Amino acid sequence: MDKFTTLEGVAAPMRTINVDTDRIIPAKYLKTIKRTGLGKSLFAEMRYREDGSENPDFILNQPAYRQSKILVVGDNFGCGSSREHAPWALADFGIRCVISTSFADIFFNNCAKNGILAIRVAPEDLEKLFEDAERGANATLTVDLETQTIRGPDGGTLHFDIEPGRKHNLLNGLDEIGTTLERGSTIDAYEQKLAAREWA
């Protein structure tokens, strides 16, 4: 998993609330167990018309936001089913950070497991970030995980909270397996101690 340290990029605004995982990646695209190739189907029902052509009104189809790395989204993002394909699709498209007031718990945890930083902010801070993101090509935000700050295009800075273990794992690019391996020496010592006790 790629480390998340500092991310600078264009932020795309999506004010829609209650965007569920089926809207992030529709069920018909869930046949794969690969984490790659899903970016083209991200938000498929909103990005494309019935004939397969792009919907020019959808935010990620607009020239200023095609290379967005950050999403600023409405409340309760990622609700619905627990599909891990949702963060896979976001990551494959190039999204590394999603900012909202609230996320569904499973989606929130799946993001961290896949190298995406999901940030919860207060409603007034989210509104400021929406205003920044609506600047089009000038909608550049800088997210610094080490200092837990988001810097806007005018230099204004917001602070965000994150659980220390989640922060550690993202900074070091550790998924659950990586976290376990990081503690390998402690686990080995415990196993040796346990084995010695059993043979005593």
Side-chain angles (χ1 to χ4, degrees):
M1 188 170 85
D2 291 337
K3 296 179 180 181
F4 191 111
T5 52
T6 301
L7 175 68
E8 181 176 351
V10 171
M14 291 182 61
R15 287 183 177 268
T16 308
I17 65 171
N18 301 320
V19 173
D20 64 31
T21 52
D22 192 55
R23 294 190 79 187
I24 297 172
I25 181 74
K28 63 183 178 181
Y29 300 108
L30 305 187
K31 297 174 184 177
T32 181
I33 58 171
K34 295 180 180 178
R35 300 186 185 200
T36 56
L38 290 171
K40 64 182 180 295
S41 304
L42 178 69
F43 301 117
E45 293 176 355
M46 294 184 278
R47 277 173 73 192
Y48 306 110
R49 295 168 168 161
E50 288 187 8
D51 64 1
S53 63
E54 287 188 352
N55 172 9
D57 295 328
F58 184 65
I59 193 71
L60 295 179
N61 289 338
Q62 296 173 16
Y65 298 106
R66 285 184 176 273
Q67 304 300 318
S68 293
K69 298 178 181 179
I70 301 166
L71 285 182
V72 181
V73 297
D75 304 341
N76 197 30
F77 190 79
C79 56
S81 66
S82 61
R83 64 190 65 167
E84 196 168 2
H85 291 70
W88 291 358
L90 287 166
D92 193 58
F93 181 86
I95 302 294
R96 292 294 313 277
C97 180
V98 186
I99 307 170
S100 182
T101 57
S102 59
F103 299 93
D105 287 343
I106 295 175
F107 173 81
F108 185 75
N109 290 327
N110 280 341
C111 280
K113 293 175 185 178
N114 289 280
I116 297 173
L117 174 60
I119 299 174
R120 296 185 181 111
V121 296
E124 60 272 21
D125 289 338
L126 186 69
E127 183 56 36
K128 176 63 172 67
L129 292 168
F130 271 131
E131 292 172 4
D132 288 340
E134 287 164 354
R135 296 182 178 202
N138 295 321
T140 300
L141 299 181
T142 302
V143 180
D144 188 324
L145 180 54
E146 184 63 52
T147 62
Q148 297 176 214
T149 56
I150 305 167
R151 188 171 67 252
D154 293 333
T157 301
L158 301 174
H159 182 272
F160 63 90
D161 294 324
I162 184 170
E163 186 269 326
R166 187 184 304 270
K167 177 179 180 178
H168 172 83
N169 289 351
L170 285 165
L171 283 172
N172 292 282
L174 300 173
D175 58 13
E176 291 175 317
I177 294 173
T179 303
T180 301
L181 293 174
E182 189 182 46
R183 298 170 181 165
S185 60
T186 302
I187 294 170
D188 289 344
Y190 173 79
E191 292 289 345
Q192 291 171 5
K193 186 177 180 179
L194 189 63
R197 187 187 308 162
E198 289 174 352
W199 285 102

